[in-house]
Amino acid sequence: MKRTHLWAWGAAGGLLLVGGMALAVWAWLPGDEALRSRLETSALAALGTPVRIGQAHLQLLPVVAVVLEDVRTLQDEPIVLARIAVYPQVLPLLRKVLAVDRLEIDGAQVPRGALRAFRGRVTPPDVGFKQAPLPLSQVVFRDLTWVSYSGIATVFDGEVDFDARWRPRQAVLRRPGAPAPFSFTLARDGDADRWQVRTVVAGGTAHGQLTLHELPELGLALSGELAPSGIDLPLAMSTFNRHSPIGGKASARTVVRARGHTLLDLVRSLHTTSDVTVAQAVVLKLDLDKAVRSLGSDRAGQTRLDSLTARLDTQNTDEGIRFSYTRLQAKAGSYSTTGEAEVYRGQLQASGRLSLAGGWLGLPFVASGPVAKPLFRMSPPPPMRGPQSLLP
């Protein structure tokens, strides 16, 4: 038989095999409307919250996929997904074994407040499938909008490749359209529960390493260290649609800690401690000379600092990240300042002491209110005693 005939018979056999598999899948799976209804029922059982699916479609060509459109949770603050595409492995699927090559999410809007409804309530639905050792190989998301507790929307793209037991093989997070390039990348060290971290943000970097520990009866613990270096503070904050009261370039040594029973628990409990130094620091919305002379009533302008150091603790909470500054020390000419501050839910609370002329006169101060426009108050100096008090 001629080689071309062999090729033709082989191609025909391949098409018949693919066609037969497609027909088997088509016969085994429900139609679009039944599929949509079944998935809504399964989502309710898994999440404990009703989910509405606008359209559901089984795609057979060019590859088998289940495509969902206009998916939303029925909450006061709904999670909305414009499109979800699931690409299962066909042969395991025919054996009722669930193994997904790729999950794509497009146009998602995720309000932080909506996630609290699922705390401790998410359970895998019983859909009659066995789970493969690696049930999901890759997740890709595009145009995912995260809405913070205070209503700030930030768009991300990214992808995660998984190993067994939901260990990321590699992952990357990006900020499309940001004023400066941002990327956060994880790369696993072989089969160890250890990942190299590389972060590019605001003209600087924050590289390091993270390690995951399994603790008997206590769940998972995450630990690690990062080394932020040369990060432009206003540019970094604007990358995430926020404003910085301080200008300059920050470097630090950062320790990372988290604990929980699931990866989501680790994210929710994430805590960092950083010893920060800011080079070329500028207080962007405070003229210190004016503030001292007017006891805080006039402060418009800026103040360049000779030095600025602090310890910064961040803690994830259900209502956003709490930023706590301690050991705050700053120097500007004859002024020096010590104090502490907290930024949480868009509000600033700060207090400290401003020392003048080598420290012989100290003025207590407080700042509070919205981060974008806090109220600054300074106490008057104590009355002078002795002969000097008689001077005009």
Side-chain angles (χ1 to χ4, degrees):
M1 183 178 295
K2 292 183 179 181
R3 183 172 298 178
T4 54
H5 291 167
L6 289 173
W7 180 89
W9 281 108
L15 289 173
L16 287 173
L17 176 61
V18 171
M21 290 171 56
L23 288 173
V25 172
W26 182 265
W28 181 63
L29 289 176
D32 289 354
E33 184 57 31
L35 178 63
R36 185 189 64 81
S37 177
R38 180 180 295 181
L39 291 173
E40 286 183 342
T41 301
S42 297
L44 175 60
L47 302 176
T49 297
V51 175
R52 192 194 75 189
I53 300 173
Q55 297 182 37
H57 174 64
L58 173 62
Q59 170 186 296
L60 295 179
L61 295 173
V63 292
V64 175
V66 175
V67 180
L68 311 179
E69 295 180 1
D70 187 20
V71 180
R72 63 181 61 221
T73 59
L74 300 184
Q75 301 170 271
D76 292 338
E77 291 184 283
I79 298 173
V80 179
L81 303 101
R83 179 180 179 273
I84 304 174
V86 182
Y87 297 88
Q89 297 179 16
V90 175
L91 291 179
L93 192 65
L94 295 175
R95 300 193 303 269
K96 289 198 171 183
V97 174
L98 184 60
V100 176
D101 276 332
R102 183 179 175 96
L103 171 65
E104 294 180 356
I105 301 173
D106 291 284
Q109 296 184 34
V110 185
R112 184 185 185 97
L115 298 179
R116 285 182 295 179
F118 308 126
R119 176 72 60 84
R121 297 177 60 183
V122 178
T123 57
D126 182 8
V127 293
F129 291 94
K130 299 178 182 178
Q131 191 176 96
L134 182 59
L136 177 60
S137 298
Q138 185 183 57
V139 173
V140 177
F141 52 92
R142 294 176 288 262
D143 193 26
L144 186 153
T145 301
W146 172 259
V147 183
S148 72
Y149 180 87
S150 56
I152 297 174
T154 311
V155 179
F156 294 96
D157 290 344
E159 58 262 0
V160 184
D161 295 323
F162 288 103
D163 285 337
R165 301 166 65 210
W166 299 107
R167 298 312 197 246
R169 167 60 55 186
Q170 59 184 13
V172 63
L173 185 69
R174 308 179 194 88
R175 272 281 293 117
F182 168 81
S183 65
F184 173 85
T185 303
L186 286 177
R188 193 177 186 186
D189 287 344
D191 294 327
D193 281 347
R194 185 174 58 250
W195 290 264
Q196 297 300 318
V197 179
R198 297 189 65 82
T199 308
V200 176
V201 56
T205 59
H207 303 331
Q209 180 176 282
L210 297 175
T211 303
L212 187 65
H213 310 271
E214 291 192 73
L215 306 177
E217 300 181 2
L218 297 177
L220 302 171
L222 182 71
S223 63
E225 287 193 10
L226 305 175
S229 178
I231 297 174
D232 185 296
L233 288 176
L235 190 56
M237 295 298 285
S238 65
T239 297
F240 299 98
N241 299 329
R242 288 165 171 82
H243 301 282
S244 174
I246 301 294
K249 294 190 176 182
S251 298
R253 174 184 174 270
T254 299
V255 176
V256 180
R257 295 284 186 271
R259 179 168 291 185
H261 290 280
T262 68
L263 293 178
L264 290 179
D265 288 341
L266 294 179
V267 173
R268 285 194 293 260
S269 68
L270 188 65
H271 174 263
T272 71
T273 300
S274 303
D275 290 316
V276 183
T277 300
V278 182
Q280 304 169 10
V282 181
V283 182
L284 296 176
K285 295 185 178 181
L286 173 66
D287 185 316
L288 194 53
D289 276 326
K290 288 183 180 180
V292 170
R293 296 178 190 278
S294 66
L295 295 180
S297 63
D298 182 10
R299 59 186 186 277
Q302 298 184 349
T303 302
R304 293 196 173 275
L305 303 180
D306 300 324
S307 63
L308 175 60
T309 60
R311 169 161 286 185
L312 168 61
D313 284 86
T314 70
Q315 178 65 63
N316 276 7
T317 76
D318 284 342
E319 298 181 350
I321 302 176
R322 177 184 285 110
F323 297 84
S324 301
Y325 298 84
T326 56
R327 305 182 188 179
L328 181 61
Q329 296 184 346
K331 191 174 186 304
S334 60
Y335 298 109
S336 61
T337 301
T338 59
E340 58 186 27
E342 180 178 281
V343 178
Y344 184 49
R345 295 175 55 181
Q347 297 291 310
L348 168 68
Q349 294 290 334
S351 62
R353 188 174 185 85
L354 176 66
S355 299
L356 292 80
W360 70 268
L361 178 62
L363 302 178
F365 68 87
V366 295
S368 61
V371 173
K373 195 174 181 180
L375 177 64
F376 183 84
R377 299 186 300 276
M378 184 175 292
S379 300
M384 298 182 65
R385 300 181 181 278
Q388 288 182 336
S389 64
L390 300 178
L391 296 176

